[in-house]
Amino acid sequence: MPVAANVLAVPVIGRYSRKRSLYLTEALTFGVTKHQARAVILDLTGLREIDEDTAATIQRLVAMIKLLGAHTVLTGVSAAVAQTLVRLEIDLVAQDVLIRPTMRAGIALALQLVKRRRDRDR
């Protein structure tokens, strides 16, 4: 879902089977390309807990976003989700994922990132 020029927001809600994960990955790949996204917000507010498949989906999305040249901003990470990601040794910080507590803060950061990139590309 586009929230601003070159910024997409994706709510991650519920569990992700292999089929659902593939659909989300394909849809997001298309969206990043179509909207020339430079920042993608993955909002985890809708996740109270996370299983291994969903964690793996998030990790794949982050890798795909980076390969397409955009920044990933993670928002709404609960304590339970953070603990599970750490327990599963999914190091999103090493993948240059930026983390903000709320969607509002994530959008503000994404807009700053896009502006910096535009200024740099001039």
Side-chain angles (χ1 to χ4, degrees):
M1 160 180 17
V3 294
N6 307 112
V7 178
L8 298 179
V10 179
V12 179
I13 301 169
R15 293 183 176 205
Y16 282 81
S17 64
R18 193 174 284 269
K19 184 177 179 180
R20 191 168 178 226
S21 175
L22 181 61
Y23 173 77
L24 177 59
T25 302
E26 289 175 356
L28 186 55
T29 301
F30 176 77
V32 169
T33 304
K34 178 183 177 187
H35 297 286
Q36 299 177 335
R38 296 295 167 241
V40 177
I41 302 164
L42 297 178
D43 182 40
L44 306 187
T45 303
L47 295 178
R48 291 187 177 168
E49 57 186 30
I50 190 171
D51 62 14
E52 288 184 35
D53 290 335
T54 304
T57 296
I58 293 167
Q59 191 171 31
R60 282 192 298 276
L61 291 174
V62 167
M64 184 271 304
I65 291 164
K66 188 172 185 174
L67 285 169
L68 292 175
H71 295 282
T72 301
V73 179
L74 209 60
T75 62
V77 180
S78 70
V81 169
Q83 288 174 343
T84 301
L85 291 172
V86 170
R87 181 177 54 78
L88 294 173
E89 298 180 3
I90 295 178
D91 189 358
L92 298 172
V93 175
Q95 295 181 31
D96 299 322
V97 174
L98 301 162
I99 302 167
R100 292 297 180 267
T102 64
M103 177 64 97
R104 176 180 281 186
I107 291 171
L109 175 60
L111 292 173
Q112 289 174 0
L113 293 169
V114 168
K115 182 180 182 316
R116 274 190 228 148
R117 188 164 189 169
R118 275 194 205 122
D119 291 348
R120 186 186 72 213
D121 289 348
R122 286 184 185 175

